[in-house]
Amino acid sequence: MFTTAVGRHHESFIFAGSQPSPGAEIKAMQYLTIWDLMLTPLYLAVLHYIAKRQRDKRYPVGHPLRPYFLPGLWVKFGGAIFIALVYQFYYGGGDTFHYFYHSQVINSALSESFTLWLKLLLRVPFESDPQLYDYITKLYWYRDPASYTIGAIGALLGLLNGTTYLPMALLFAFISYTGIWRMYITFWKLFPNLVKPLALAFLFIPSTVVWGSAIFKDTVCMFGLGWMIYTTFRIFVDKDLSVANLFMLVLSFYLIVVIKPYIMLAFLPALSLWLLLTYSDRIQTTALRLVANLLVLGVIVGGFFLITQVFAAELNKYSLDRLAQTAQNTRGWITYASGDEGSTYDLGDFDPSLLGMVGKLPSAVAVTLYRPFLWESSKPIVLLSALESAFFLCLSLYVLLRVGVRKTIISIFSKPTLLYCLVFTLIFAFAVGITSYNFGALSRYKIPCLPFYAGLLVILYYEHMNEQMRILNVKKKQYPELISI
């Protein structure tokens, strides 16, 4: 396994036999062509028309969600176009174009035969067909299911546009938005009075818009994460066991496990705890509720460790017994490869064991949510991330001061949804913070937890403000003279 240059290339290349470096052949290609310029406006018009039809059908005039549906989609389109221009003219290449290149190679097989194309799409072992070898020697990620899946999805979407980058990226953004929107809907149903604050938290965070909208692993994972939250809520809370919900639950689970399994390792404990507390609130007897919680919590913890052991081979470097060593190895490699570029961070020395990593929990979570600081941004792209991190830090302090530490703790542990957001944020922020060691890579890897953290903050703040208003209204009824104050 070979890791490319840090930041934009902080991905793993797994070679099929003796092959040249991916950059050697791909850098000779022109990523964005005249076809992108010609097809992009057409695709924007068509996708906008489809989205507008869906908005008018599902959210008629007067519906509280109507004002946010199309703006949320358009910022996704903007994010896809923006990052394409950044990779083309600022970076001069990168992994998003590597995925695109794989899509091109796969679809080039159509000129030879549909069967050959289908075998490449499904990643059939090349021993089964000698004709595959000529293509596989160009497909550097053929042995890497996670990366190759993105190229295969791109190849499918490329059938609609002659495998042209920007139209494909817009389709990635459009499909991903369906998951993000479902995630937003789920939280809106739980807190219907927070339409606008939740929209800001789930639809308009700059990092999630930019890094979750183009041809990336993160784009597909955000699609899967959103649909998994939505279908889980529909199935287990609303009791909607429709075929569509079951299918989307299985599909989203599969995509996340194949592409980024560590997301699932952080998500499943938080989700299980959310369902446990949601159902246990319905048990009237306190003692019985406590026993049920302890039993189910034990099952959750035991099941989590069982899954990590059973799927240790599939999780590879993200399995529990290798995560600590992965963090230590990544730290050494990033420091060596980055030199004095100024995009690295260091959490200090620690024992490469799970126990040793626990001591780094606060600093790893802090670096994910609140860094880089403004004075750590030596590049324009890092400065954008620093501005967002500064906003999250200021917002966190503001909410904590307004609500109060004691009230914040009570609110989180009394509301299953808030605890769910916190648990997922902490686990995920810790995992990516302790294994990235590069601000460029971190800005991408952390995006799954940002909507949950932002949602946690806005729910805490507005629920507190609503409670204060209720208290004030009660006092006004009891003491009418307050009205004149």
Side-chain angles (χ1 to χ4, degrees):
M1 185 169 65
F2 168 76
T3 307
T4 62
V6 190
R8 72 182 190 277
H9 296 310
H10 189 46
E11 294 283 350
S12 298
F13 289 92
I14 298 182
F15 296 87
S18 174
Q19 298 175 353
S21 166
E25 183 169 352
I26 298 176
K27 282 187 177 180
M29 299 174 57
Q30 177 64 39
Y31 310 123
L32 303 180
T33 68
I34 188 64
W35 288 106
D36 292 278
L37 186 62
M38 294 174 61
L39 292 177
T40 297
L42 175 62
Y43 265 75
L44 287 173
V46 171
L47 293 176
H48 174 78
Y49 173 77
I50 295 173
K52 187 173 181 296
R53 288 285 301 270
Q54 288 297 310
R55 182 202 63 179
D56 295 340
K57 177 182 178 181
R58 298 176 180 271
Y59 313 109
V61 176
H63 195 286
L65 299 184
R66 181 182 174 90
Y68 306 102
F69 186 76
L70 289 180
L73 177 61
W74 273 97
V75 297
K76 292 283 283 184
F77 289 158
I81 296 173
F82 170 77
I83 204 62
L85 298 177
V86 168
Y87 269 75
Q88 173 71 79
F89 299 109
Y90 180 78
Y91 288 138
D95 48 4
T96 186
F97 292 121
H98 296 165
Y99 299 126
F100 173 59
Y101 168 75
H102 279 64
S103 302
Q104 288 181 310
V105 174
I106 294 171
N107 283 351
S108 68
L110 282 171
S111 61
E112 191 167 344
S113 77
F114 175 80
T115 302
L116 189 62
W117 173 82
L118 188 61
K119 288 181 178 180
L120 288 173
L121 192 72
L122 300 177
R123 212 168 60 89
V124 173
F126 71 88
E127 295 85 358
S128 64
D129 188 346
Q131 287 182 297
L132 292 173
Y133 185 76
D134 289 339
Y135 291 93
I136 293 176
T137 55
K138 302 175 185 177
L139 297 170
Y140 314 104
W141 286 326
Y142 201 76
R143 292 182 182 175
D144 178 9
S147 299
Y148 194 79
T149 297
I150 307 303
I153 294 173
L156 280 174
L157 299 179
L159 297 177
L160 302 174
N161 47 62
T163 318
T164 307
Y165 180 84
L166 276 180
M168 282 173 55
L170 293 178
L171 288 174
F172 266 82
F174 186 85
I175 294 172
S176 177
Y177 185 65
T178 66
I180 300 295
W181 182 256
R182 291 316 189 282
M183 186 190 300
Y184 167 54
I185 287 178
T186 303
F187 279 80
W188 167 71
K189 287 183 177 180
L190 294 170
F191 301 94
N193 295 326
L194 305 182
V195 182
K196 184 176 180 179
L198 289 176
L200 295 175
F202 286 93
L203 304 181
F204 300 106
I205 296 178
S207 287
T208 59
V209 169
V210 171
W211 298 113
S213 299
I215 306 176
F216 288 122
K217 291 180 180 179
D218 313 272
T219 307
V220 179
C221 287
M222 292 303 290
F223 161 84
L225 193 59
W227 274 104
M228 182 170 292
I229 293 170
Y230 175 78
T231 53
T232 300
F233 185 84
R234 294 287 295 170
I235 292 171
F236 293 100
V237 178
D238 292 342
K239 310 297 183 183
D240 183 2
L241 298 174
S242 65
V243 175
N245 284 335
L246 293 172
F247 172 77
M248 291 305 300
L249 178 61
V250 172
L251 176 63
S252 57
F253 180 87
Y254 171 79
L255 288 173
I256 294 176
V257 168
V258 169
I259 297 172
K260 289 196 174 185
Y262 62 86
I263 294 179
M264 196 60 67
L265 289 181
F267 181 69
L268 284 181
L271 180 65
S272 302
L273 185 63
W274 182 40
L275 293 175
L276 162 65
L277 296 177
T278 299
Y279 276 99
S280 66
D281 281 346
R282 302 176 184 179
I283 301 177
Q284 300 299 322
T285 307
T286 304
L288 183 60
R289 182 167 61 249
L290 178 61
V291 171
N293 285 346
L294 291 176
L295 287 175
V296 178
L297 188 61
V299 172
I300 292 172
V301 174
F304 172 74
F305 281 96
L306 178 62
I307 289 174
T308 59
Q309 296 305 315
V310 170
F311 294 98
E314 289 77 6
L315 291 170
N316 194 13
K317 62 182 179 180
Y318 301 110
S319 59
L320 288 179
D321 58 342
R322 297 189 62 184
L323 183 60
Q325 192 58 51
T326 295
Q328 193 76 344
N329 293 343
T330 304
R331 178 194 181 204
W333 164 249
I334 292 295
T335 303
Y336 167 77
S338 296
D340 296 323
E341 288 187 3
S343 296
T344 62
Y345 64 87
D346 194 352
L347 300 180
D349 295 326
F350 64 92
D351 178 35
S353 64
L354 288 178
L355 185 60
M357 289 201 305
V358 170
K360 294 296 180 181
L361 176 64
S363 55
V365 172
V367 76
T368 299
L369 298 179
Y370 309 128
R371 290 179 63 187
F373 298 125
L374 291 174
W375 56 87
E376 295 176 312
S377 53
S378 59
K379 301 178 181 179
I381 198 72
V382 178
L383 176 60
L384 296 178
S385 180
L387 290 171
E388 181 181 88
S389 298
F391 173 79
F392 269 107
L393 178 59
C394 294
L395 180 63
S396 302
L397 293 175
Y398 178 76
V399 171
L400 193 61
L401 290 174
R402 288 299 301 266
V403 179
V405 176
R406 179 175 175 274
K407 185 64 180 295
T408 296
I409 295 174
I410 293 175
S411 297
I412 289 175
F413 282 92
S414 62
K415 292 181 173 64
T417 302
L418 295 183
L419 187 60
Y420 158 60
C421 290
L422 179 65
V423 170
F424 177 69
T425 299
L426 290 179
I427 296 176
F428 191 86
F430 167 68
V432 298
I434 205 168
T435 56
S436 297
Y437 288 97
N438 177 271
F439 289 129
L442 183 64
S443 64
R444 285 176 53 179
Y445 295 162
K446 69 182 181 180
I447 67 171
C449 72
L450 293 184
F452 293 89
Y453 184 59
L456 169 67
L457 293 177
V458 299
I459 292 170
L460 271 173
Y461 175 76
Y462 284 100
E463 286 289 287
H464 171 73
M465 296 305 295
N466 289 338
E467 182 180 350
Q468 295 297 107
M469 288 298 299
R470 286 193 294 268
I471 294 175
L472 181 60
N473 289 334
V474 169
K475 288 183 178 181
K476 285 182 177 180
K477 290 181 180 180
Q478 294 176 343
Y479 307 99
E481 62 272 15
L482 290 175
I483 299 177
S484 59
I485 298 177

